[in-house]
Amino acid sequence: MAKEVNLVEQMQSMTIDLNSKVLIEKAERDGVETMYKRKLGYNVQCGFGLKGVCCRNCGMGPCRISAKTPRGLCGADEHTIVARNYARMCAGGTAAHSDHARDITHTMALTSKDGGYTIKEPEQLIALAKSWGIETEGKDIYDIAHEVAYEGLMEFGKPFGVSRFLVNAPKKRQEIWKKYGYEPRAIDREIATVMHSTHIGCAADCESIIDIAIRCSMADGWQGSMIGTQFSDIMFGSPKPVRTEANLNVLEENNVNIILHGHEPTLSEMIVLAADLPEMKALAKEVGADGITLSGICCTGNELTMRHGIKIAGDFHQQELAIVTGAVEAMIVDVQCIFPACAEVAKHYHTKFITTSPKAQITGATYMEFHEETAVEDAKTIVREAILNFKNRDKSKVLIPDLKSEGVVGFSEAAIVGQLNNVVNSQIDEMNTVKPLVDALASGVIRGVVGVVGCNNAKTPSNYNHLTVIKELIKNDFLVVCTGCGASVAAKNGLMLKENAKKYAGKGLATVCELVDIPPVLHVGSCVDNSRILNVCTAVANFMDCDVCDLPVAGCAPEWMSEKAIAIGTYVVATGIDTYLGVMPPVGGSSRAVNYLCGGLKEKLGACFHVCEEPIQLAKMIMDDIEAKRPAFEEIYQKNVMNK
Ligand code: SF4
Ligand code: MSK
C-alpha cells in the first residue's frame, strides 16, 4: 500500500497543476495509464538521442557517434549528423504548420455567401488582396476570396520567387535575408530541399545544413503561419478581447461535455456552429442533460477561446486527464499534439474519442471523417454522436476537479495595438499606429516584451517552467505575450486577468495594465499565431525605422517539445529576436552546431538561441539581455521617433 502511495506521489510531482494531481490519483485508482505513469519507465533516456548523434538516414545505420565510433559508416561525423537531425526537425515543424495553412487556404476557396464557410472580415481580405496586386474594385467579395485562395496556394509550390510576406519586414532585415540566402521560396520546396540535402551522401557541412534549416523555418513563420493566421482571421473573425475560463473545472457535471483538441479551426468552428443549433440543444435536454459545454485543449482550444471565449479545458499534458474526469462525452480531434494514448484511456470510460482527419487516424478511436465540402452536416453528425453518448455516462466514475481561473483573451495584432492606442494616446487618429506601444517601451515603464510560447515537456514538471518564467518577467515589468500551451498555463493561473496585475506585475506594468485595460499576460493565439508576434515586432521596427533585432523583445519556449517549436524558434531567431529555451534541444553532441546556433548566428542575424534549464536563471538571462539592449533602443527612439 505504502508503495502505491509513493507511486502516485511520484507521478503527482511531475506536474504543478493541482487539478492534474487530483486526476493522476484518480487514474491510478481507475487502473488507467497516463503519460505520468509511462514517464516512470523513462527515467534514463537514450544519451545518443538526447545529444542528436544517432543517424538512421540510410539502411547501413543506425550509426551512433561515440569515442569508439567517431564517424558513421559513410564517414558522417557528429556535426553532420546533429545538423541533419536538427534540419529534419525544422522540416517536420514547417510541414505541420504549413499543411494546416494549406487546408485553411483550400477552405477559403470553398467560401460562399450561403455556405458553411463565409468571409467575416471583408476589409482584411481586401487589404490582403490589394497587397498581393489582386484587383478588387467592383468585385464580389467571394470572387476576391477565391482569387486570394488561389494565390495563397501558389505560395506552397510556385516555381519562381520568394515568400510574398517578406516585403513587410524592415528593409534592413530583408537585406540580411537576401545576403545570407534565408529568403524562403515555395513552402513545399523548402521542406523538400531539407529532406534532399539531409539524405545520405548529400550535405555534410554542419553550418550550411543549419542555414538550409533556417530558410525552411522561414517558410513556416514568414509564409505558412502567416497564411494560416490571416486566412483564419478573414474567415472566422479577428480575435477581440473576450472573457473566458481555464482548467478542467470548466467541464459541467450536468451538461454534455464536448472537448475539441488539435489545431484546425475549420473543424472546430463548425462544431461550435452545430452545438449552438436549437435542434442540438433540444436533443441534449431529451437525453437528460441541462445543455452542451464545449471546451478546448491545445491549439484548437486557443483558436476557439480567442474568437469565441470558449473555455480552455487544459493544455497538452492534460488531454488524457480530461478523459479521466469521466465527464466527457466526446473528445473530437483533428491534427497535431494528440496523444494516441487517448484512445486507450477513453476505453475505461464512456468517452468517445473521435478522430476526424485522414492525416491523423488513431487505432482504437471512432473515426468520423470531416470534409470541408459538407462541413455543417458532418459537424452535426459528430455533435449528435456526442450528445447521444450522455446516457452512457457512469456517474460513479465522474470527478471534475475544483479549480479554474478566469481570464481575458483574444489579443490579435489589431486588438493589442487598438487597446493601447485607444487609451494611451486617444488624439492619434490612425488606429494602426504602434506609437503608444513604442512610447511605453521607450519610457521604460515596460522594460521589454517577451513572447513565452510553446508546449509542455515531460522533461520538466508540467507547467513549472512556464509559470516560473512568466511570473519572473511580469514581476520585473516585462509584458508577456503567449501562444499555444504556454497561454493555457497563464490563463489557468489567473495571469490573464487585469485584476491580478497588481498582485503579480511590477509597478510599471501594473500601471499600464490599469491604464489601458489589459492583463499582464496577453493571449495572442495558437502556435500558428506566432506570426502575430512577428507582425507586431515588424510594425514597431518599421515605425521606429530600425531592425527587429534593435527592439527590447525576446522569444522564450520554457517547455518546448514539438518539431513545430524548433521551427518556430528558428524563424524567430532569423527574424532578429533572441530565443531562450528551457529544455536543451538534441544538438549537444556537436560543438559546431551549438556554437553556431547559440553564437555564430548572432553575427549574421543579430539574434541567436540561448539555453538554460533552470527557469529563474532563464528569466534572468532574458531580462539582462534586454536591459543591455535598452540604451541603444532608447537612442534610436530619440533619433527616429522624437525628432520625427
Ligand atoms: Fe550511418 Fe551515414 Fe547511413 Fe547515417 S547516413 S545511417 S551515418 S551510414
Ligand atoms: S498545441 S505544439 S503542445 S503549444 Fe499547438 Fe501545445 Fe505545443 Fe502542441
Side-chain angles (χ1 to χ4, degrees), residues 19 82 84 248 315 357 419 421 599:
N19 282 348
V82 163
R84 287 199 305 216
L248 288 162
D315 53 39
S357 167
Q419 198 85 356
N421 203 10

Side-chain angles (χ1 to χ4, degrees), residues 262-263 298-299 316 337 454-456 483-486 527 561-562 564:
H263 282 77
C298 275
C299 284
F316 179 58
C337 301
C455 328
N456 315 130
T483 60
C485 292
C527 34
M561 65 86 204
S562 67
K564 290 181 289 179

Side-chain angles (χ1 to χ4, degrees), residues 115-141:
Y117 299 104
T118 56
I119 298 299
K120 295 239 168 59
E121 303 283 0
E123 282 174 17
Q124 249 171 274
L125 173 63
I126 289 168
L128 180 64
K130 282 186 175 160
S131 74
W132 283 7
I134 295 170
E135 185 54 64
T136 58
E137 264 332 291
K139 273 194 192 160
D140 183 86
I141 197 73

Side-chain angles (χ1 to χ4, degrees), residues 97 261-263 297-300 302 315-317 319 335-338 453-456 466 483-488 526-528 559-565 568:
H97 278 150
H261 172 20
H263 282 77
I297 279 189
C298 275
C299 284
T300 282
N302 291 319
D315 53 39
F316 179 58
H317 277 183
Q319 53 187 293
V335 292
Q336 299 171 24
C337 301
I338 302 149
V453 308
C455 328
N456 315 130
H466 270 296
T483 60
C485 292
S488 309
S526 66
C527 34
V528 161
E559 298 177 36
W560 77 270
M561 65 86 204
S562 67
E563 292 173 327
K564 290 181 289 179
I568 292 168

